[in-house]
């Protein structure tokens, strides 16, 4: 697992309050029952803080799964 994915996984564990949550690049909102619009906003805010980046509206719209999130983070770093 890449360093980016490890950090993303840590953020997911905090946001979804589940230390045992396992995610992959294919994980999307349909895979995590608690992943609603509020959790999505919390997730984005925490990822921005953790990686010291800023997501644009187009970035957010293009995110379909964790792999998309990881690729965007890598592009912005």
């Amino acid at each position: 697992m890449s360093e980016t994915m490890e950090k993303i996984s840590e953020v997911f564990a905090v946001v979804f309050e589940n230390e045992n949550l396992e995610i992959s690049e294919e994980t999307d909102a349909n895979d995590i029952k608690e992943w609603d619009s509020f959790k999505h906003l919390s997730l984005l805010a925490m990822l921005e803080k953790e990686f010291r980046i800023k997501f644009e509206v187009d970035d957010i719209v293009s995110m379909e799964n964790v792999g998309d999130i990881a690729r965007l983070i890598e592009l912005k770093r």
Side-chain angles (χ1 to χ4, degrees), residues 14-77:
V14 170
V15 169
F16 293 102
E17 301 172 7
N18 182 350
E19 292 180 18
N20 299 316
L21 182 65
E22 292 187 26
I23 62 167
S24 71
E25 289 191 9
E26 291 78 31
T27 302
D28 65 21
N30 295 320
D31 298 322
I32 302 174
K33 184 176 76 168
E34 300 83 12
W35 194 341
D36 58 17
S37 57
F38 179 73
K39 289 286 188 180
H40 191 71
L41 292 175
S42 298
L43 180 64
L44 294 177
M46 192 167 215
L47 288 168
E48 286 180 332
K49 184 176 181 181
E50 175 70 29
F51 290 98
R52 297 180 181 171
I53 59 170
K54 180 75 175 144
F55 292 118
E56 303 297 329
V57 173
D58 290 342
D59 297 333
I60 296 167
V61 171
S62 71
M63 293 175 184
E64 293 187 15
N65 58 35
V66 173
D68 291 342
I69 294 170
R71 283 184 283 284
L72 280 167
I73 289 170
E74 289 292 328
L75 287 172
K76 292 181 171 292
R77 290 178 90 188

